[in-house]
């Protein structure tokens, strides 16, 4: 039971609160230490997230397509278009399309069938009834053997049968037009596959049973043709699809030529390559800027992190300004950051045996800035880079990506980024890690444990203060009562 100033008139609760503020000073210090460690952890993770983006971009910088993007133009885009691969050579190519690839289609005569009704009843048949239906493989052989039959049972509807055929790996799509009362079958691929003249020589082969059931004739089949085109007035090609890859160029056919061949021109897109390099450098410089800033920030020792109690006494803007100074310099002098900055800078001075015109990155107009305070940021001489891409793009590519067992700049950079990642993860962990899995987490866990023990101790101290003040109040109250009794007896 707590007695607050009934006998003495003192504000016991305020007195004890003031006493507890003094007792809580070590706890406040632990809270501030924990907050500072959490800030350090979060800053490390922020840097690591940005580092991962650079690492991903460094992978793309090792791909030949980054340096060999092609601009492709077609004189007849309604007939043929093309896309270039990194290996496709520059030049002009004539394409004459004489035939497009088509899928095969066959349509039945009139049928009086409801798709969801009993099929055998609608056909006036008793079952079960089996029939053969097949297309052909790359060698011109039937996909379905003579004994691989589709069966119509007493329970089947037309919908059941069509689903079974459509789900089968037989290159056939079947549907029923309820308006015209006709069954439509078509191949799900283009091209001529029945090249051996099997049976009727058609792409969709069916037996007499199927023909009789669904009023369908092989003679009604349309399509099932290969695409045909002539390359540079000399090389004739047949393909089962309306596309073809030749000499690293991917052609797509849309119509046949009328009159003259289409001309496809390919040129290297130097501007796209420059944009890729500039984008990488921009993001890389962002990482360097963030890391370098942590080493150049002033450390304000008179601005420790605010406790939750202190925040209650301040305006939001005041808290923001205070924490801005409190967070400043929290990673200053950290060995992980300083060593990473050094290693990253050194990567750009590596010599690479490209076997071509350029062996060091400075030869193509890419250098670290002259101001050492920039921390090793990269700058580009665009004119020099453009000239290098025009003169020897393969050498530029190998300078970045390496060749065979020879490491390029990006390989060295990737090694440094991986080392940096390992050290940061050991120090600050990842968001999915428990506190016990990284160094700063263990320190936070230790502080949490000490804070918990200290809070228990504070509760005991506060309880003791209240017990002492309550005892004092009781004693004074007893003395007051005795004094009153004496006074009453004295004046009687």
């Amino acid at each position: 039971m707590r007695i607050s100033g009934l006998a003495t008139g003192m504000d016991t609760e305020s007195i004890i609160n003031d006493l507890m503020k003094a007792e809580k000073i070590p706890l406040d210090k632990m809270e501030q230490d924990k907050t500072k460690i959490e800030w350090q952890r979060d800053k490390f993770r922020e840097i690591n997230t940005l580092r991962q983006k650079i690492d991903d971009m460094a992978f793309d910088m090792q791909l030949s397509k980054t340096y060999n993007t092609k601009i492709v133009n077609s004189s007849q885009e309604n007939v043929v278009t093309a896309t270039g691969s990194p290996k496709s050579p520059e030049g002009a190519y004539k394409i004459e399309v004489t035939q497009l690839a088509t899928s095969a289609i066959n349509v039945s005569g009139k049928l009086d069938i409801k798709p969801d009704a009993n099929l055998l009843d609608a056909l006036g048949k008793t079952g079960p009834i089996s029939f053969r239906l097949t297309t052909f493989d790359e060698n011109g052989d039937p996909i379905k053997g003579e004994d691989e039959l589709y069966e119509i049972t007493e329970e089947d509807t037309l919908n059941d049968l069509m689903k079974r055929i459509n789900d089968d790996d037989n290159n056939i799509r079947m549907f029923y037009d309820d308006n015209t009362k006709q069954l439509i079958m078509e191949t799900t691929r283009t091209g001529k596959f029945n090249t051996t003249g099997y049976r009727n020589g058609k792409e969709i082969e069916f037996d007499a049973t199927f023909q009789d059931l669904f009023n369908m004739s092989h003679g009604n089949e349309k399509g099932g043709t290969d695409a045909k085109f002539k390359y540079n007035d000399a090389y004739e090609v047949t393909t089962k699809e309306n596309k073809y890859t030749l000499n690293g160029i991917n052609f797509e056919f849309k119509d046949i030529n009328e009159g003259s061949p289409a001309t496809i021109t390919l040129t290297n897109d130097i501007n796209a390559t420059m944009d890729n390099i500039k984008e990488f450098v921009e993001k890389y410089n962002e990482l360097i800027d963030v890391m370098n800033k942590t080493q150049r920030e002033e450390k304000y020792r008179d601005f420790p992190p605010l406790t939750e109690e202190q925040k209650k006494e301040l305006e939001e803007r005041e808290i923001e300004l205070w924490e801005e100074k409190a967070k400043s310099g929290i990673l200053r002098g950290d060995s992980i950051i300083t060593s990473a900055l050094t290693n990253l800078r050194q990567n750009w001075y590596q010599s690479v045996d490209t076997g071509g015109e350029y062996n060091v990155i400075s030869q193509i107009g890419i250098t670290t800035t002259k101001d050492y305070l920039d921390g090793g940021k990269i700058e580009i001489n665009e004119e020099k880079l453009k000239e290098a891409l025009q003169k020897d793009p393969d050498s530029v590519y190998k300078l970045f990506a390496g060749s065979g067992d020879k490491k390029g700049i990006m390989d060295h950079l990737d090694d440094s980024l991986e080392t940096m990642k390992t050290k940061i993860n050991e120090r600050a962990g990842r968001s999915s890690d428990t506190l016990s899995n990284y160094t700063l987490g263990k320190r936070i866990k230790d502080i949490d444990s000490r804070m918990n023990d200290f809070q228990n101790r504070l509760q005991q101290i506060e309880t003791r203060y209240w017990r002492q003040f309550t005892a004092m109040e009781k004693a004074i109250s007893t003395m007051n009562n005795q004094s009153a009794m004496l006074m009453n007896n004295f004046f009687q």
Side-chain angles (χ1 to χ4, degrees), residues 58-70 86-87 273 276-277 352-361 364 366 385 388-404 406-411:
F59 175 79
D60 291 336
M61 293 295 289
Q62 293 176 290
L63 302 177
S64 61
K65 68 178 183 179
T66 303
Y67 308 88
N68 292 300
T69 304
K70 295 294 189 297
K87 295 182 178 180
T273 303
N276 290 332
I277 295 174
V352 181
D353 182 9
T354 65
E357 184 77 16
Y358 311 109
N359 296 312
V360 291
I361 205 77
I364 65 171
I366 298 177
L385 176 58
L389 288 169
Q390 290 172 331
K391 188 174 183 179
D392 191 354
D394 188 60
S395 179
V396 175
Y397 162 59
K398 290 179 180 178
L399 189 56
F400 278 96
S403 178
K406 300 172 184 176
K407 286 188 174 183
I409 298 296
M410 291 300 109
D411 292 305

Side-chain angles (χ1 to χ4, degrees), residues 203-266:
E203 288 302 298
I204 304 175
E205 165 65 25
F206 46 84
D207 59 16
T209 301
F210 184 88
Q211 179 172 322
D212 176 62
L213 288 172
F214 297 107
N215 192 18
M216 188 169 287
S217 169
H218 287 104
N220 290 336
E221 182 178 291
K222 306 294 182 183
T225 60
D226 292 335
K228 296 180 180 180
F229 72 98
K230 186 183 291 185
Y231 172 81
N232 282 347
D233 296 328
Y235 183 53
E236 296 185 1
V237 180
T238 299
T239 173
K240 298 189 181 303
E241 298 180 291
N242 287 312
K243 57 185 178 180
Y244 196 81
T245 299
L246 191 64
N247 199 20
I249 307 170
N250 305 307
F251 297 102
E252 185 171 349
F253 313 120
K254 300 179 179 181
D255 204 346
I256 61 174
N257 293 97
E258 292 184 3
S260 61
T263 300
I264 304 293
T265 57
L266 272 78

Side-chain angles (χ1 to χ4, degrees), residues 13 38 185 195 211 367 450 471:
E13 186 169 359
E38 288 175 336
M185 281 197 308
T195 55
Q211 179 172 322
T367 58
R450 289 191 287 119

